[in-house]
Amino acid sequence: MNENETTRLSRLTAILIQLQTKRLLTATTLAHKFSVSNRTIYRDIRALEQSGVPIITEDGKGYSLMEGYRLPPVMFTEAQANALITAEQLVLQNKDTSFIKDYTEAIEKVKAVLKYNILDKANLLSERVRFDQNNNRERNSSHLSDLQFALTNFRVVKIEYTNAKNEPTTRNIEPFALLSTENWLLVAYCRLRRKFRFFRLDRINELEILTDKFETHKMTLEEYFTTYH
C-alpha cells in the first residue's frame, strides 16, 4: 500500500468516525476538516457506501449514518458518557496543547459509538458545564451524576436544601447548568422562588428525580449569564 492509499484509508476511517459523532455533516465541512476538495469527499463517501456503510444522503443538507450502525463493539451507559463529557471540559483548561488535542480526538471516538439519543444529551451537557480553577480536591457532593441525568432529560428534581443561613427548605427545581468552582454549583429554575438560582451541591441533603418533565430553557449558558448577571 503506497502513501496515498494509506492517507486515503486514514481519511475514510476519520470520515466514518465523524459521521458517527455528528447527526449531519456537509461535504464542505468534511472537506475543510481534512483539507481536501469537495469532489474528493464525494469520492470518499461513494467508497464508504460501496464498502457497505449505510450512509444517508439528504439533498441540500448533507450526510448521516443510518440509525443503529456502529463500528466498534463498545457501549457506554448514559451516566458513563456524561462523566466523560464532563471530564472533557476540565481537560480543555489544561495548558498543554498536545494533551488537549489527544483528549479531544479520543472523545470524538467515544462520541462515535454513542447512540443518537445519548449523543444528543452528551452534547447538551458539554454546553451546560463550566469549570473554574479549583484547588480544593476534597470530595463534598454525591449528586452530580443524578443532576446530569435530570438536566439532559429535562426532569424536575425535588431537593432538601440547606441555605447559607443554615435554614432547611424543600424545593422543586429545573436543572439548567453545572459549574465547577470551589464547590459544584447547580444553576436551576426554582419553582418555589420562580426564578433562576444557584444551588451548592454540598448543601443538597436529599435529592429525588421526579417523573415530571419541564420545557427546555431555550438559551445557552453564555446567554444565561448575559441575561441574568
Side-chain angles (χ1 to χ4, degrees):
M1 183 179 293
N2 61 39
E3 184 176 350
N4 287 339
E5 290 174 332
T6 302
T7 300
R8 190 185 187 207
L9 180 58
S10 297
R11 188 175 65 248
L12 288 172
T13 302
I15 288 173
L16 185 51
I17 289 173
Q18 287 293 307
L19 286 170
Q20 290 188 124
T21 304
K22 307 292 184 183
R23 281 267 189 163
L24 196 66
L25 282 171
T26 65
T28 301
T29 299
L30 290 169
H32 178 74
K33 182 172 183 63
F34 298 109
S35 302
V36 296
S37 67
N38 281 19
R39 183 172 296 180
T40 297
I41 294 298
Y42 298 149
R43 288 197 295 265
D44 288 345
I45 293 295
R46 281 198 299 272
L48 288 170
E49 289 174 329
Q50 290 168 359
S51 68
V53 178
I55 296 176
I56 299 172
T57 302
E58 298 187 34
D59 291 339
K61 293 184 178 180
Y63 305 105
S64 63
L65 282 180
M66 182 180 295
E67 172 67 34
Y69 180 80
R70 296 290 180 270
L71 272 182
V74 179
M75 297 298 291
F76 291 92
T77 66
E78 185 173 335
Q80 290 168 343
N82 286 343
L84 289 168
I85 296 302
T86 301
E88 179 186 19
Q89 303 307 306
L90 181 58
V91 169
L92 291 176
Q93 290 195 26
N94 192 278
K95 295 181 179 180
D96 185 277
T97 56
S98 63
F99 179 58
I100 293 174
K101 177 178 179 294
D102 289 341
Y103 191 90
T104 300
E105 291 176 351
I107 282 294
E108 284 196 351
K109 292 180 180 179
V110 169
K111 288 181 179 179
V113 301
L114 298 179
K115 293 181 178 179
Y116 280 147
N117 65 325
I118 296 180
L119 176 61
D120 288 344
K121 294 172 184 177
N123 286 333
L124 171 63
L125 188 63
S126 70
E127 297 169 358
R128 298 285 183 85
V129 175
R130 177 175 294 179
F131 285 90
D132 290 328
Q133 189 65 36
N134 182 4
N135 296 319
N136 182 3
R137 297 189 178 184
E138 180 183 357
R139 294 180 176 87
N140 53 22
S141 68
S142 59
H143 301 300
L144 183 60
S145 181
D146 285 339
L147 288 170
Q148 288 175 331
F149 175 84
L151 188 158
T152 57
N153 288 277
F154 310 111
R155 295 275 288 275
V156 177
V157 175
K158 179 181 178 181
I159 60 172
E160 302 292 334
Y161 189 76
T162 302
N163 63 22
K165 297 179 181 179
N166 207 33
E167 299 168 338
T169 61
T170 300
R171 308 176 188 222
N172 285 2
I173 58 174
E174 301 172 6
F176 174 74
L178 289 159
L179 312 176
S180 175
T181 56
E182 191 67 19
N183 295 282
W184 274 102
L185 295 177
L186 170 69
V187 181
Y189 181 81
C190 178
R191 291 186 170 182
L192 177 65
R193 304 301 183 195
R194 297 187 177 183
K195 61 175 65 175
F196 281 97
R197 303 293 291 266
F198 286 105
F199 297 95
R200 278 178 46 170
L201 266 62
D202 61 330
R203 290 181 177 166
I204 297 177
N205 304 310
E206 299 289 339
L207 181 152
E208 179 185 357
I209 300 175
L210 305 180
T211 56
D212 297 349
K213 302 193 76 171
F214 60 88
E215 290 291 327
T216 178
H217 300 284
K218 297 186 181 299
M219 60 180 170
T220 65
L221 188 54
E222 288 71 22
E223 289 169 342
Y224 164 79
F225 280 111
T226 300
T227 304
Y228 295 97
H229 292 276

